[in-house]
Every structure is written in C-alpha cells, then in structure tokens.
Amino acid sequence: MYWLQILLFVLYGYLGLGLIFGLWFVFKGVEQIDENMHGASWPTRLLLLPATIALWVILLNKWLKQKRHGS
C-alpha cells in the first residue's frame, strides 16, 4: 500500500510540473518550435495543453536542443 502512495505522489508531481510547463509552452514556447503556430488563437492553443502536460519532458528536450543549435 505504501508503494502505491509513492507512485501516486510521483505521478501527481509529474503532472503538476507538466501543467506548469504546459501553460508556459502553449502560450509562449510553441512558436519557437513550430512557426505555423504564430498567430494561433488561444482556444486552438488550449487544445494542445493535455498532450503537452503528458509529454512535457519530450517537448522540453526538443525546445532545449533547438535553442542550443540556434534554429
């Protein structure tokens, strides 16, 4: 039972960090990775939020690599 509480704590932490990153990324960072998102409306951007929360580690890595290479 104790391991389940630890697992849930880790899951909630992952999702919490994903929410923080996702809100920033959807409204500020997505244009740096995908130029087609320039000028997209906020409802369109909100559609990206659930996937961004789930995949925030991959998106952060992609954004950092792109920033490092200056693309």
Side-chain angles (χ1 to χ4, degrees):
M1 181 78 168
Y2 184 68
W3 62 270
L4 183 60
Q5 291 173 338
I6 293 172
L7 183 65
L8 285 175
F9 181 75
V10 169
L11 177 66
Y12 291 149
Y14 179 86
L15 292 176
L17 289 172
L19 179 62
I20 293 167
F21 174 79
L23 287 171
W24 171 83
F25 182 78
V26 165
F27 289 103
K28 299 286 184 187
V30 72
E31 291 178 1
Q32 296 174 4
I33 292 179
D34 186 1
E35 292 141 6
N36 293 325
M37 286 299 294
H38 183 69
S41 65
W42 67 269
T44 302
R45 292 172 185 261
L46 281 180
L47 289 172
L48 298 174
L49 189 59
T52 303
I53 292 171
L55 303 172
W56 72 270
V57 174
I58 296 167
L59 292 170
L60 178 62
N61 188 27
K62 184 173 182 172
W63 179 70
L64 289 174
K65 280 183 182 178
Q66 188 169 10
K67 194 168 187 157
R68 197 174 310 134
H69 294 298
S71 298

